Amino acid sequence: MSDKKYKDILTGHNYDGIQEYDNPTPGWWWLVFHCCIAFAVCYFVFFHISIYGWTRDEAYSAEVKRNFDKQFAALGQLEVNGETIARFLNEPQWLDVGRTVFQTNCISCHGKQGEGLVGPNMTDDRYKNIKQIGDFGTVISNGAAKGAMPAWKTRLSPNEIVLVASYVASLRGQNLSGPRPPEGDVPPPWPVPDKPADAETPAKPDAPK
Ligand code: HEC
């Protein structure tokens, strides 16, 4: 170091002829060091002790949930009936939400694609409990076969039941092969929704007119 006051003061050590100057660690280094310690203490208290500290995963889930709630708020409170379920058949954006509900709660018994497992195949034309599209709402809400198909009305909101019902109904006719043979009868085709489900939800401000 060229600074005059640090110059040439020896520590008095001597290792095989190598001597050491007593140059103190510069001020900026101590500043950074102490800032690091202060930061570590704040970090530890914030993230590991306080109730405000979020991991990135928690922050992400909270954001996803907020977004989900916002979407549901746009739908309002749906009624679980055939007309409502049919309304969403042509709404890929909402069927995606239904798919998420399905993947979270139903694939353990109905298979990843609805091809059936413990429960029946949802992708063929045959149904055990469904005579018309509204029956999806009833079966999903109340369960079937004495609880072999669980009742979901205490675990899912009406909106989630409607969307997962539409999603399951939309799987009809893909005929994916599953472990179970086709079960039940062939109900008439689902009604075609006469107006898009979004017609009643407020248009986004920047939506094209
Ligand atoms: C614990 C296993 C299990 C889970 C989880 C499950 N189901 Fe089922 N589900 C069944 C069984 C078993 C049946 C057949 C009932 C019968 O034999 O009448 C069934 C029947 C159905 C039916 C009627 C199918 C038909 O052919 O009549 C629908 C619709 C259905 N489930 C939707 C769902 C949805 C949506 C979810 C998720 C929210 C779900 N199920 C979760 C086991 C399950």
Side-chain angles (χ1 to χ4, degrees):
M1 194 146 312
S2 61
D3 200 328
K4 210 54 187 164
K5 66 182 173 181
Y6 294 137
K7 220 166 176 189
D8 298 350
I9 304 162
L10 284 170
T11 55
H13 304 143
N14 187 332
Y15 302 103
D16 296 338
I18 299 171
Q19 290 179 294
E20 191 187 354
Y21 285 127
D22 182 16
N23 288 339
T25 314
W28 65 261
W29 192 93
W30 281 109
L31 185 68
V32 172
F33 183 59
H34 286 132
C35 287
C36 287
I37 294 175
F39 177 79
V41 171
C42 297
Y43 183 95
F44 181 79
V45 171
F46 186 73
F47 281 103
H48 296 282
I49 298 179
S50 85
I51 53 164
Y52 303 107
W54 282 5
T55 65
R56 220 179 264 198
D57 281 351
E58 285 164 340
Y60 178 75
S61 320
E63 196 54 47
V64 169
K65 185 171 181 316
R66 232 196 323 272
N67 200 6
F68 206 65
D69 290 347
K70 215 158 83 186
Q71 292 187 14
F72 268 20
L75 279 185
Q77 203 37 271
L78 298 176
E79 275 201 37
V80 183
N81 59 36
E83 198 194 330
T84 321
I85 294 168
R87 253 170 63 197
F88 288 94
L89 284 177
N90 282 345
E91 295 291 327
Q93 163 206 4
W94 291 114
L95 290 180
D96 271 355
V97 179
R99 180 195 290 127
T100 310
V101 178
F102 186 80
Q103 283 170 344
T104 313
N105 301 292
C106 321
I107 57 177
S108 54
C109 293
H110 289 287
K112 272 204 181 104
Q113 251 101 48
E115 72 279 15
L117 203 63
V118 182
N121 190 331
M122 302 286 189
T123 68
D124 56 20
D125 260 332
R126 294 189 172 269
Y127 296 88
K128 290 173 85 174
N129 306 277
I130 312 286
K131 309 239 170 315
Q132 42 161 316
I133 194 163
D135 296 342
F136 281 105
T138 325
V139 172
I140 296 168
S141 297
N142 303 327
K146 301 201 176 68
M149 160 67 187
W152 292 92
K153 65 177 171 217
T154 52
R155 280 172 274 189
L156 298 176
S157 69
N159 285 12
E160 287 171 312
I161 291 179
V162 167
L163 296 179
V164 78
S166 300
Y167 172 70
V168 171
S170 77
L171 299 177
R172 181 176 184 180
Q174 296 177 18
N175 294 311
L176 305 178
S177 69
R180 296 166 68 106
E183 294 163 84
D185 304 320
V186 181
W190 311 142
V192 182
D194 50 352
K195 60 179 175 189
D198 267 356
E200 283 169 22
T201 58
K204 295 193 197 87
D206 54 354
K209 292 266 141 50

